Amino acid sequence: MAEPNWTRRDVLKTLGLGAVALGVPGRKVTAADAKRPNIVLIMSDDMGFSDLGCYGGDIDTPVLNSLAAKGLRFTQFYNTARCCPSRASLLSGLYPHQAGVGHMVNDSGFPSYRGDLSRSCVTIAEVLRPTGYRTYMTGKWHVTRFIAPDGPKHNWPLQRGFERYYGTITGAGNYFDPATLCRDNMYISPQNDPEYKPQEYYYTDAISDNAVRFVREHHEKTPEKPFFLYMAFTAAHWPMNAPEMAIAKYKGKYDKGYAHYRRQHFERLKEMGLVHKDWELSPQAGDWETVEPKDWEARCMEVYAAMVDTMDQGIGRLVTELERQGALDNTLILFLQDNGGCEEDMGRPANINEKWVGGLKDPKPMAPDELQPKASPPMQTRDGRPVRGGPTVMPGPADTYIAYGRNWANVSNTPFREYKHWVHEGGISTPLICHWPAGIQARGQLFHEPGNLIDIMATCADVVGAKVPRRYEGNEILPPEGTSLRPAFRGKSLGERAIFWEHEGNRAVRKGRWKLVSKHPGGWELYDIDADRTEMHDLASRRPEKVRELESLYENWARRCGVQPWPLKKPSQSKER
Ligand SMILES: [Ca+2]
């Protein structure tokens, strides 16, 4: 194990601060405090840069706000703009194409687009477990195309380094009856799981409750060992589903329309120092004056807020359990999002129920052992009702399946341009909250250098003193692409490097203050991110030499990582590059 590169004095100092912050004055520092930290990696789904309170938003997120106030926030952390590639990159420390998930979980024939996590990579769990870490996961997996109950499971969590798992193998579903719900290696239904029997089943709570349970059992059985827990929430991916009680808290809260909340987010972001006061606000997507029906539009955002609020409360239950165990000080908690706010119109068209309800043959109540076969409509609830959408159906309950839409995603992504799928700043910018009283000096400070999902593997390996192996289970492993964020934990620079994106032909490279970006099938745009992170002033025609320099970096990266031209062709129709 590598020597920790903080001094004993640093540890004492930070622990002292941590103890006061946690309300346990006079707590003695023990030898155990200097042991390797637990790591809790939390990822949420389809949320914008400014949804959380500690990133300028208006949703009630006191737990994440408090972790931010006692830790470090990154202002320029990046994901890959989409669910599967972000998860593949996060787990492996590689760019998604290198990990075999260049697009989604379908097999396009090319090695970089098999839709199944590559065997040329290892997951964080596979790196940490051999060094003595226990490894647990709850939530959304979404890095394999093999989801059939009796199909291959070589790329399910237990076969990729995790000892315990509760969650969904696929990417989305009804929160009251998620498809591909799984405990360890076995598909279950919310009703036939002997190990979890809540009064009302709601997937976000199930992810939190099972994480708390894994951590509690860990403490009972192997308290001497550190653990790695990966919690991958599906909140706030469509459908907008939440318990009525949680939604009621936000009733009427979003009646002032999109522009009002965008302005509020923007002002708070500037006050907090998360965005520069000179940047311009990106264009408004929706006009509240003309949108109809307004009560339905507002309700979409009320449910979205309830979904995020419920997630925050669940994270709170985990933090409370860690506190109860006296483990919070020496646990590195990282919170981030997999892509920007989502503009997809799932369940929103006016005539959608012709297809959805009309496409259901004779729905009947399901037996407890029956698995929900559908991730999206046409589908039915467990009690035999058709699931509906469209603007005459108020989102929230189990029989509804509706996205919050482009106009609210534009609010979530304030102040940036574009959405999930695209690699302008609105699609790829995520909060990163880092909380670790024993290992991070910051108490509410911000870190302004760029970071990327590929850095999480490097960071986890670094803080536990592990190395990413060059060979694993007989396979040669690609070297990790990221850099450890540990210098940032001490307020030091990460050093300059280039970071790259490609998703559905949308391309970008960021180096220092410059970003070259293209929205497929358009040409390159060049932005000075220091002066204009909202990407309002394209400098490509004024700085052709900078365009050429960054384009050449991009082309080399794309070739090295197996990026194919978009749209993908069959390998036989296309020249491998
Ligand atoms: Ca997502």
Side-chain angles (χ1 to χ4, degrees), residues 44-46 82-83 87 140 237 338-339 420:
S44 76
D45 203 351
D46 286 20
R82 196 76 180 274
C83 303
R87 285 149 215 281
K140 167 169 161 176
H237 195 295
D338 74 334
N339 51 250
K420 170 181 177 179

Side-chain angles (χ1 to χ4, degrees), residues 424 507 516-527 538 540 547:
H424 285 73
R507 303 163 290 160
L516 190 68
V517 57
S518 150
K519 180 177 181 175
H520 184 78
W524 289 116
E525 301 160 24
L526 177 72
Y527 298 101
D538 177 10
V547 173

Side-chain angles (χ1 to χ4, degrees), residues 15 53 57 211 243 251 343 519 530 539 574:
L15 277 173
K251 178 91 188 123
E343 56 83 58
K519 180 177 181 175
D530 282 0
L539 303 175
S574 157

